[in-house]
Amino acid sequence: MAEHEGSNAEQIAKEFKEHSVAEFFKKNMQMLGLTGKIKTLTTIVHEYVTNSLDACEEAKILPDIEVQLKELGAEYYEVTVKDNGPGLTKETVGKALGQLLAGTKFHRMMQMRGQQGIGAAGCTMLSQITTGKATEVITGTGKGPALSLEVTIDPKKNQPKIVNLHELKSEFKGTAIKAKFKGVKYVNSEQAPLEYLRRTAIANPHAKITLIEPSKKKIVFNRTVKEIPRKPTEMKPHPKGVNVDEVISLSKYSDTKKVSSFLKSAFDRVGDKAIEQIAKNITFDINIDPKQLTWEESEEIVKQFKKINFIAPRTDGLIPIGEDRIQKSLNGIVKPEFLSVVTRKPTVYSGGFPFQVEVGIAYGGEAGRGNAVNPDGEAERKMEIMRFANRAPLLFDTGGCAITRAVQSIDWKRYGVKDYENAPITIFVNLISVHIPYTSAGKQAISDEDEIMEELRLALMDSGRKAGAYIAGKKKEQERKMKKELFYKYIPETAWAIEAITKQSRKTLEKNLEKLVLEKLKLEDEEDEAQEIKKEIAKTSADTKKKAKENEDYSEEEQEEEEEEEN
Amino acid sequence: MAKEKKPKKTRSTTETPEAIAQRIEEMAGNIAKEINSNQDPTFSTQQRGRNNVEFDEDKGLLMLGDKVTSRNFLNIGHAKKFMQTMMVSAKTHNYLKQNKTASIREVYYELKHTLGKSKENTFEDQTESDACIVDLEHSVNTIREKLNLHANPKGTLYGDIILRDRKHNNDEFNAAKLGRGGWSIMSRIEPEEIEIVKVNAEYILVIETEAMYERLVEENFAKKNKAILISTGGQAARGTRRLIQRLHSEGKLPVYIFTDGDPYGWYIYSVVKQGSMALAAHSNFLAVPDAKYIGMTLEDVEDFGLQNVTEKMKDGDVKRAKEMLAYPWFQNKEWQEELKKAIKEKIRIEQQALANKSLSFVADEYLPKKIKKKDFLP
């Protein structure tokens, strides 16, 4: 009986194990970002492209990535992504494409593009369960023959299964992955691969990205800078930013013998003074083996962490794109009339997480969403917000994101943008952090931490002011043009009449009247400028006086606000 | 209104067309000089409108003040008016040179066209070209008749008076011998065009309505009373006013004004007597400060028993009457009483209400009685 029961239980366990990976995958598709036919296709493209970008960056190669989408049938597509990266070996192919959750990115305090759900292996799995087909790979390191193979995942073992492996005669450096998917769809919308790649190109100006659409139309986003970004460095977690669970898991990997030395080595900014203070206030011996730490003891440590005034975390591990590169990139891809970019200094949220905000405001040209149509049926550009977290575009869950809310919280009218939602404006926002506070596991929206909101607002106001000055200048220019046209309209008849009476040359009169009008308008411009300089001087001196009066706690935000009011 | 400013400068009416044309040439010449020497072209004109019109108590005339305004081409608000005035000047200059006359409406149509490729016209309506004519009159210090321009004629003359049309074969005619229609008063009544040869009458009766005029012609009123009848047909046109003024000053005839007893009638009277806001610049030779108001009055209603044929005044009329109470030329006992009574009782009385007595009542009784008793309002 027992044996029988045992075999039954074993059977159940075996079955569970066989199905577990695939089942888990299917059941959690939603959580993994695989909802909707359009979004799923974008997620697939994202996984492959992110891998390519990361691999190139790691190998210090300027990425050249080509994405090709082919429609094979109704909601049935083939995705091919080809890069010029370092290539994969037989072993690494299996890990990268044939094993779920095999990434090396977990539990690392490092600024990363970040997976948005499934990873490239997830794509292999998705292809497998929707089409029954293997993922084809050609990869080469540039040394020796390239490999051609097909990979699937053994759902029982969560292990790669590689078939049709053979060496190619030609050399090849890079990786090309081809996979087929059902239940996906290609359209041209803001959440589709084209927009995803456009934004990826903007945030990665060192990459050249090509898309070949199902219609065979080829769209190329050219490289605008030639330097490869610095590799982010790994940073120890700051004591203000850890929870009990993290303390325990870190303690398990520690080589140290005492909790005191574990705390000093595993966390940023923890020194002897802090250890002294912790030792005094905990109920257990700080010299015990860290591997023995209980949940309750860890709780005590976290509690002490909260009480101690640590120096703010190091921020040098953050790699912004940089004002200069964002400029080049937006100029190359959005081709605006005017662009203002601000990279803020790094700072910290929740006491323990370094982060940094970059904002670019592009106006005119191809800025704004281009596919909007006004009531007269004419194409009309509307404001678009391009959200990025560590350079990776966030396309979904727009309304729930701190970036969107920060944009909405700005009074754009102050900057001369009357109806900002219907203006040809692209607002680029990149949030960089070792730990992006996403609102949910879908990783598509950033939660509105106070410090993040404030930094976002300051950056938006700063570049908004510059953009506003440009827009105001443009308006003035238009007014000037209108005035000129108005005067010019009356010149021919005036000259005709004077000629009729005086017999003086109409042509000379016309020419001289035009000259007079131009000189008058130029004079007006100069007067306007003088007026503005006067205002600026008055404002600056008022500010200086005010600043002298205020105490040091006067926050930058308040200052900005008051300057606004004076304008 | 500036108190110390006295209206001055009477515009010359005796200059030759050549002299006027030359002044237009001077004005345009100056503008051309400014344009060609890099200066904002400008001309000056009298400020028009209420705040540059004053009532001259001594003369009993509405006069244009001496507030001058300049029009600059480089002023965004003036540019179009500048162009328009130049165009009207050119056209007028051309009329003077060609010895032609035109109505102000013809000027408008001659100059109206679309500006270049725009959707804008040189003149959108006649009020715009009319305004330019007024400006030009001032700029070259003359009157529109001297610019060979005239308004649309209106008004009729009947009575024993001989006139000569010097611009048309020197035709001589007696205005009592043209049939019942009388003579249609032209809009240009300057002495070099219309000469008053002989007047055989004792006074001029200015009548508001055509119907009343026809009644009096039919009753042979002019002949029986040695009167000259002039119908204004509503508000008196410029030519009609000029003729009344000339008959008064040249023929030494008193002027009696006969209108409905209501704000509109009173205003007709006040324009003939003191001048109008729009043509305040020309009051000197258009207005007759000695003119008397014969009726209709509210006293007539009682004197002639017309209580049952009065009309109710509308709210607008009452409002208008209240405004008139404040007019400087109505600041006398008689008019104040008349206006206050009308406002209080809210009634008005028409000329033709006299027919209630009989058709010939106005000619046989009303007018002769009033004239004999000198029963006028001042």
Side-chain angles (χ1 to χ4, degrees), chain B residues 56 86 88-89 142 166 204 208 223 264 293 311 359:
Chain B
D56 185 325
M86 287 304 110
V88 167
S89 304
T142 188
R166 298 172 71 174
I204 301 156
E208 174 182 346
K223 199 171 180 186
Y264 188 62
Y293 185 77
E311 302 271 325
L359 283 182

Side-chain angles (χ1 to χ4, degrees), chain B residues 46-302:
Chain B
Q46 203 134 359
Q47 210 180 82
R48 276 176 279 121
R50 215 167 270 269
N51 49 17
N52 195 29
V53 172
E54 327 179 346
F55 182 62
D56 185 325
E57 304 255 1
D58 299 340
K59 292 183 184 163
L61 292 175
L62 262 182
M63 300 294 279
L64 195 62
D66 52 7
K67 285 185 193 162
V68 170
T69 176
S70 66
R71 296 222 191 288
N72 300 51
F73 181 76
L74 290 183
N75 178 326
I76 200 119
H78 290 176
K80 186 169 190 183
K81 277 185 203 144
F82 190 98
M83 172 200 77
Q84 290 175 330
T85 311
M86 287 304 110
M87 292 177 80
V88 167
S89 304
K91 196 39 80 182
T92 317
H93 182 259
N94 179 262
Y95 294 151
L96 290 166
K97 287 286 186 189
Q98 307 280 315
N99 199 23
K100 279 196 171 160
T101 68
S103 77
I104 54 179
R105 190 149 189 83
E106 283 170 326
V107 173
Y108 165 65
Y109 279 122
E110 271 212 87
L111 291 172
K112 180 168 182 156
H113 61 256
T114 308
L115 283 165
K117 284 171 191 155
S118 74
K119 285 176 185 164
E120 197 177 326
N121 288 314
T122 50
F123 298 89
E124 294 304 337
D125 58 55
Q126 200 194 321
T127 59
E128 292 181 12
S129 56
D130 286 357
C132 292
I133 292 167
V134 178
D135 280 352
L136 180 63
E137 285 177 286
H138 176 265
S139 294
V140 296
N141 192 31
T142 188
I143 57 172
R144 71 182 52 174
E145 287 77 2
K146 288 284 169 192
L147 294 168
N148 284 9
L149 300 176
H150 56 83
N152 295 331
K154 197 172 77 174
T156 325
L157 169 77
Y158 183 92
D160 191 359
I161 171 172
I162 296 168
L163 300 176
R164 179 183 294 138
D165 188 340
R166 298 172 71 174
K167 288 261 164 146
H168 197 263
N169 310 326
N170 275 322
D171 286 344
E172 241 184 59
F173 55 89
N174 188 321
K177 297 201 164 123
L178 297 171
R180 279 171 295 169
W183 184 61
S184 283
I185 302 168
M186 298 177 63
S187 66
R188 293 159 51 85
I189 300 293
E190 294 314 300
E192 62 268 32
E193 301 204 13
I194 301 296
E195 189 189 336
I196 300 169
V197 181
K198 199 180 162 209
V199 184
N200 180 25
E202 286 172 3
Y203 61 88
I204 301 156
L205 186 68
V206 178
I207 304 143
E208 174 182 346
T209 63
E210 288 289 339
M212 179 53 74
Y213 164 85
E214 280 164 16
R215 164 65 35 221
L216 293 175
V217 171
E218 195 174 303
E219 300 296 331
N220 230 347
F221 182 84
K223 199 171 180 186
K224 285 183 193 161
N225 298 278
K226 290 200 124 196
I228 288 171
L229 307 180
I230 291 178
S231 124
T232 61
Q235 191 55 265
R238 186 161 165 153
T240 303
R241 287 168 60 192
R242 178 69 172 136
L243 180 64
I244 295 167
Q245 192 269 345
R246 282 187 64 202
L247 288 174
H248 174 70
S249 62
E250 290 173 34
K252 309 281 177 235
L253 296 179
V255 174
Y256 304 135
I257 297 167
F258 181 29
T259 71
D260 289 341
D262 59 21
Y264 188 62
W266 302 327
Y267 195 65
I268 291 169
Y269 159 71
S270 102
V271 166
V272 171
K273 186 180 168 84
Q274 277 93 24
S276 70
M277 207 77 90
L279 296 176
H282 312 305
S283 292
N284 266 318
F285 48 92
L286 289 180
V288 183
D290 296 337
K292 299 278 185 282
Y293 185 77
I294 198 165
M296 302 291 292
T297 68
L298 293 179
E299 212 184 303
D300 293 340
V301 173
E302 282 162 31

Side-chain angles (χ1 to χ4, degrees), chain A residues 545-558:
Chain A
K545 274 180 211 159
K546 200 190 296 159
K547 268 178 202 161
K549 276 187 198 167
E550 301 294 338
N551 60 34
E552 282 170 6
D553 281 331
Y554 194 69
S555 86
E556 220 176 324
E557 163 105 44
E558 283 166 334

